[in-house]
Amino acid sequence: MPQIVRNVSQLREIVAGWKADGDAVGVVPTMGALHDGHLSLVRAARGDCARVIVTIFVNPKQFNAPADLLKYPRTEEADAALLAPLGVDVVFAPPIEEVYPSGFATTVSVSGISDPLEGAHRPGHFDGVATVVAKLFGMTAADRAYFGQKDWQQLQVVQRLVADLNLAVKITGCETIREADGLAMSSRNAQLSTDARACAPALHAAMQRAAAAIRGGAPVPLVMKAARAEVLDAGFDEVEYIELRSALMLERVSQLDGPVRMLAAAMIGGVRLIDNIAV
Ligand code: AMP
């Protein structure tokens, strides 16, 4: 089993020992309830770095809805068991007071890239993400950090943060891991009812069909409108957004010049699912 560490001073001591030996340190930040998507990041870290830290922290600052935070799954023992065979050195799972002690007063805010899409629908979300990620980099002193493309906008926010603050950590974005039926793996999938789980792959299917139509030259506004209708017809309750954007700056685009991404967020049975694909 990996060593479970709860406080920053102990973590720092361990990492200082590794660094004195010249070992590269990789970190995989997570909120736990681990699945194969998370494990793919751990494997990538393991491949590059002599030492690997997985952080498990359900960060209250990135939840804009208190009910969502309350029902977020917490499965630390099962998580540690999943990590054991992967050669993870340390699981850093701090209590809230260790991350946000009384008097905590700093917010890291990455403007521009944080504003549309998730930022528009989840006010404050990316401030919470940027703040905790900056802290986790400070706490772990990692040389490399691994994030999933599943959270595409988050990955761009983190890249911007690292560049702007000259943080000495190299970010790797790992591909989205999916269930056999195309549904992107997510800790939230466990909250889906049987019926909702059966409908959920329709989001990715509609996005793939829309991407193929756009690549084939169909007009973007019509295709995106049809994709939205398709997702709703399949049983989703609401489509918050389904849009075509430039891949790095996330600006609206209506044609394919340069790297383009399709991103979506939709609600089904009270569960919010997000996905994105290259077009
Ligand atoms: P979370 O625990 O949801 O905060 O996710 C922790 C990290 O795992 C983030 O960098 C996510 O982008 C990544 N991740 C979550 N789901 C997947 C997936 N299906 N494939 C690849 N990475 C993922």
Side-chain angles (χ1 to χ4, degrees), residues 183-204:
L183 176 65
M185 288 192 185
S186 164
S187 306
R188 292 173 198 277
N189 292 352
Q191 299 169 8
L192 293 167
S193 68
T194 309
D195 283 354
R197 175 63 188 83
C199 294
L203 179 61
H204 179 241

Side-chain angles (χ1 to χ4, degrees), residues 29-31 35 37-38 41 147-148 150-151 154 175-177 185:
T30 82
M31 298 202 298
H35 50 65
H38 298 112
L41 308 188
F147 291 84
K150 156 84 179 0
D151 297 276
Q154 169 175 282
E175 272 187 30
T176 301
I177 306 298
M185 288 192 185

